Amino acid sequence: MKKLSFLLMFSLLLFTACKKDHVDATNTKTLQSSINDMASSLSTIKQIKFNEALYILKTFGVEADGDINELKALGQLINGKKVPEIMSMADQVAQQNGIEWASTAPPSLGEMNIFGDEKAKESDPNDIKANSLSLTTRPTGDDGTGATAIQVIPRLVDNTGNPIAFTGAALETTLEVFSNGSKIYTSKNLMQDNNFRGFNLKFSSIQASKVVDNKIDITVSVKTTQKTFKMSRIGLDVNPNALKVPAPPKVDSTTVIQDPTMVDPNIPVSPSSTDPNATPATPAAATPKQPAADPKTAVNKFLNNVGSQNLKAAFDSSNNPSWGSYESFSNPNSGFGAVKSLNIKNISTGASNANSASVNATYDVTDKNGKTTSLKVTFGLKNVNGDWKISSYKITP
């Protein structure tokens, strides 16, 4: 009998020792098993807060589409973490997203289950009976050029259009922003009652290059236990001056890189000897093919191609290591892809010989956001098989 009791105690100790105190995200099964082990060691109230924390991290702490992908991303985020670390991470995510939740506050989100059990319970606070979703939008903020944001406020309403009264819910609410049919922005929050403050959609969070005709469409969805409600607003105006703009194209600020064989035209060249008794000179290397065009013609063609966004032709007419690959050259944020149009004012040839030349150009460049900048640039060119190629680029103050 004593031996049997000892074996039972030993088995219980072994079972307890095998329970995990940290997340094991090797796969979905080990993730769920380790989370269950961690929760079982907590009091009932702390178990509820732990589940709320996991829900906050899964919903707002990771970027993924679909429950399965969100769960995988959550596993990667919290792998190896213990309960206190997970609670702290959830506090940070809630604060960053403006969610009224704290790990030290009483339970507030109902019964959360990140593994997808969404069946309505007898007292499920997320089982809201509503008829549809209403949506109110209004411009907010003004920096002197117009509104800087749009306030988007959703409300669950009954069949007469009146707001439904409820509290203590945790309804996942998603804002999606589109322009010309393409999704350009997404944000999430929790609707805990029908006094939900909604979303403050700042124009500065939207890339200007993704907005067509200064118009956006928005769709808001609210997920209850039984149904997901959606409502859209089409053709909302945005303030183009408040949109997020790319950094200006990166250009060389160093001196023009001259070809070693560049000759200053102001320095006279010694005439060759005409003495018939002179010792014949050692034959020079073959003279490179003389470029047929004026170097400023090459620069003019380059600028016209940039202005018309024929960037492949512009890149092919250059041989400038500092511009890197075509992808770097045409980058819409840090390269010539940010240029919308270009107006040439003046082009003149500076120093020039058969191998290299420099050309000065003055022009106005307008970026994709409508901002125009006047530039004075010195282009260095070199002769490549009879064609002038741009080899350096310097903006002159």
Side-chain angles (χ1 to χ4, degrees), residues 133 172-176 219-223 228-231:
L133 183 69
E172 183 178 326
T173 306
T174 304
L175 168 69
E176 296 174 300
T219 296
V220 175
S221 60
V222 178
K223 188 176 182 181
T228 297
F229 296 90
K230 286 190 176 184
M231 180 58 69

Side-chain angles (χ1 to χ4, degrees), residues 155-283:
R155 291 282 184 266
L156 288 171
V157 298
D158 59 22
N159 56 5
T160 63
N162 293 318
I164 301 292
F166 64 90
T167 58
L171 306 181
E172 183 178 326
T173 306
T174 304
L175 168 69
E176 296 174 300
V177 182
F178 304 82
S179 185
N180 198 33
S182 299
K183 186 189 295 186
I184 60 175
Y185 180 78
T186 302
S187 180
K188 289 184 178 181
N189 210 324
L190 287 180
M191 181 186 289
Q192 296 177 276
D193 55 45
N194 231 356
N195 294 316
F196 180 51
R197 293 176 299 176
F199 299 88
N200 186 40
L201 176 59
K202 295 181 180 180
F203 295 148
S204 59
S205 63
I206 302 174
Q207 288 281 359
S209 60
K210 296 181 179 180
V211 177
V212 178
D213 296 330
N214 298 326
K215 297 282 186 180
I216 59 172
D217 308 324
I218 63 170
T219 296
V220 175
S221 60
V222 178
K223 188 176 182 181
T224 68
T225 302
Q226 301 285 2
K227 184 177 180 180
T228 297
F229 296 90
K230 286 190 176 184
M231 180 58 69
S232 298
R233 286 284 181 270
I234 308 300
L236 297 178
D237 293 319
V238 299
N239 177 7
N241 297 312
L243 295 171
K244 186 176 182 179
V245 298
K250 295 180 180 179
V251 296
D252 299 339
S253 59
T254 57
T255 57
V256 177
I257 304 172
Q258 301 286 2
D259 191 285
T261 59
M262 174 75 97
V263 176
D264 188 341
N266 297 316
I267 300 176
V269 180
S270 300
S272 58
S273 174
T274 57
D275 186 353
N277 297 319
T279 303
T282 303

